[in-house]
Amino acid sequence: LGAFSRAYALARDKSSAAGDAASAAEFGDLLAGVENELSLHAGYAARWGVDMSLVRPAPACSEYTSFLLAVAEKEGVAACAAAMATRARARRALRAAPPGAFS
């Protein structure tokens, strides 16, 4: 989630610098959502005694977030939006799925 936070912040800042207030607001909303999710994870980790500094992402996750950060750092707003769309689609599908659908 930290990588998503950094990527959304970069995309928000690029949008703002380009004068695209609508995209900047959208990326800002995504950033706020990820920061909220990070806070939730930290709370659960503390409650369950999990040291988050020892947690490592799965290789596929690391590969995707490395790609996402590279796009956010080197490309324009349109490329950022396209690279980030996958997570947004997955998030919508998870929210729409009935409980236990992915168990």
Side-chain angles (χ1 to χ4, degrees), residues 68-80:
L68 189 65
L69 282 169
V71 170
E73 290 168 356
K74 298 174 186 168
E75 303 295 335
V77 175
C80 291

Side-chain angles (χ1 to χ4, degrees), residues 24-79:
E26 182 79 24
F27 286 122
D29 288 346
L30 290 168
L31 175 60
V34 168
E35 288 177 347
N36 183 52
E37 198 171 342
L38 281 165
S39 178
L40 290 171
H41 283 225
Y44 282 120
R47 192 171 335 155
W48 295 334
V50 175
D51 182 351
M52 292 299 287
S53 69
L54 302 175
V55 175
R56 298 291 176 255
C61 183
S62 292
E63 290 172 16
Y64 176 66
T65 56
S66 293
F67 161 74
L68 189 65
L69 282 169
V71 170
E73 290 168 356
K74 298 174 186 168
E75 303 295 335
V77 175

